[in-house]
Amino acid sequence: MKIRAFRGLRPAKGKAAEIASLPYDVVNFEQACKQAQGKPLSFMRVVRSEIELDPSIDPYSPAVYEHAKENFQKLVDSGNLVREDEPCMYLYRQQMGSHSQTGLVATFSAEDYDADVIKKHEKTRKAKEDDRYNLTRTLRVNTGPVFLTVKDGTLLDKIVEDKKDEDALFDFVADDGIRHTVWKITDKDKLDAIVKTFAQIPCAYVADGHHRSASNARCARDLKAENPNHTGDEDYNWFLSVCFPASQLK
C-alpha cells in the first residue's frame, strides 16, 4: 500500500478548536447551522456552506461550492489555516470517556483505491458522491479525511504509540466531549520508515468515508485524463486519510 507525507493546510496554533467541525454528513441543515452559530471560523462553513445562503437554495448548486471556496480562502488569507513548511504526517488521537484510538494521518493512493487495495463495504449514492466530487473539484482540496483501518500485526500500532501529550500540536475537547489530540511527524527517517512499513501492508479498509474516497478517486481519474503531462506525482493522485489499527476501534 502506498502512502506519502504532504504539505497540508492546518489550523494555526491555538485555532484548532475554533475551526474544527463535525463531518459534513452527520448533521442536517438545522444542526449544521447550530454547529456554526457564534463560530465564524467553523469549518462547517466550508463543508456545508449553504448554511450561510438563502434556505431555499439547492444544496447541490454551483453557488454552494463557490461559496465554500470563498469561505475556505478566507481561512487561508486570514492566516487561520497555514501551509506546512515541509512534508509531514500526523498522529491523531480521539478520546471518548475511557476509550482512546490513535491513527496515522497521511495521503493515500487513489490508484490503490481503484485497484481495491483500499477495500470498501458500502455502496455509494450518486447524489452524495457528486456533491463531494463537486466540492473537491471546485476547491481542489480534501476537506476531510477518509477513515481507514488495517488489520492488527502490521506495525501501525507501534507507529501510533510514539507520542507524548506535552509534544502535541493540538489538544482540545470539542463541544460533544470528544478530546482531539494531534502530533506532527517531520523527521525524514521516521517518515521513510513509515512509508516502508505501509508498503508491506497488503490492504486497508474504509471504515467511514465511502463517498469521500469515491469522489477523491474520481477526481484523480478525471484530472489525470485532463493533464497531458501527467506523471503520477501530482497531488491529485493522493487523498487525505487517517488510518487506525483495527484493535483500537470502537
Side-chain angles (χ1 to χ4, degrees):
M1 186 160 48
K2 300 185 290 292
I3 69 168
R4 73 174 189 177
F6 64 107
R7 286 185 60 224
L9 284 158
R10 51 104 175 145
K13 199 76 171 174
K15 295 293 184 180
E18 294 178 61
I19 293 173
S21 76
L22 290 171
Y24 76 99
D25 57 349
V26 300
V27 289
N28 60 30
F29 179 82
E30 290 75 19
Q31 291 167 330
C33 290
K34 188 175 180 182
Q35 277 280 313
Q37 191 174 3
K39 294 183 177 180
L41 301 183
S42 172
F43 211 68
M44 192 63 74
R45 300 179 186 276
V46 175
V47 295
R48 294 289 296 273
S49 68
E50 68 270 22
I51 65 176
E52 294 186 346
L53 302 175
D54 189 302
S56 65
I57 196 167
D58 179 355
Y60 301 146
S61 71
V64 172
Y65 306 116
E66 287 300 329
H67 190 59
K69 185 176 181 180
E70 290 171 12
N71 284 349
F72 184 82
Q73 198 59 46
K74 282 179 191 173
L75 288 172
V76 176
D77 293 344
S78 63
N80 287 295
L81 284 181
V82 295
R83 177 76 67 184
E84 293 287 12
D85 294 329
E86 56 189 327
C88 54
M89 296 181 189
Y90 306 87
L91 298 180
Y92 170 38
R93 184 180 68 198
Q94 300 170 320
Q95 286 181 276
M96 180 177 66
S98 61
H99 175 77
S100 74
Q101 55 195 37
T102 304
L104 177 78
V105 180
T107 54
F108 284 66
S109 167
E111 283 187 352
D112 280 354
Y113 176 91
D114 287 337
D116 215 32
V117 173
I118 297 173
K119 298 183 179 295
K120 312 87 181 166
H121 64 89
E122 290 180 6
K123 303 285 188 185
T124 56
R125 287 170 43 207
K126 186 176 186 305
K128 282 187 70 176
E129 185 182 320
D130 287 350
D131 170 46
R132 291 302 99 177
Y133 172 85
N134 289 329
L135 182 70
T136 304
R137 278 299 303 256
T138 303
L139 274 65
R140 293 298 287 266
V141 162
N142 289 158
T143 55
V146 176
F147 179 172
L148 301 176
T149 188
V150 294
K151 290 181 179 180
D152 298 329
T154 61
L155 298 181
L156 177 57
D157 53 339
K158 296 289 188 289
I159 292 169
V160 300
E161 282 174 5
D162 186 19
K163 61 190 184 301
K164 296 177 184 174
D165 280 17
E166 59 267 28
D167 297 330
L169 177 65
F170 305 123
D171 191 358
F172 68 95
V173 178
D175 294 341
D176 56 5
I178 306 298
R179 181 181 177 190
H180 302 268
T181 314
V182 175
W183 296 263
K184 183 162 67 168
I185 307 169
T186 56
D187 182 84
K188 192 172 186 309
D189 289 340
K190 277 188 181 179
L191 293 171
D192 289 344
I194 292 170
V195 169
K196 287 175 183 174
T197 295
F198 269 80
Q200 302 304 311
I201 299 176
C203 64
Y205 300 83
V206 178
D208 189 47
H210 283 80
H211 292 91
R212 271 164 282 171
S213 52
S215 60
N216 291 337
R218 182 172 146 198
C219 277
R221 289 191 297 271
D222 288 353
L223 290 168
K224 174 182 177 180
E226 294 167 15
N227 182 4
N229 301 310
H230 173 85
T231 65
D233 290 329
E234 299 86 358
D235 284 346
Y236 59 69
N237 296 291
W238 306 82
F239 61 89
L240 182 67
S241 297
V242 55
C243 188
F244 292 85
S247 59
Q248 293 197 20
L249 299 184
K250 179 178 180 181

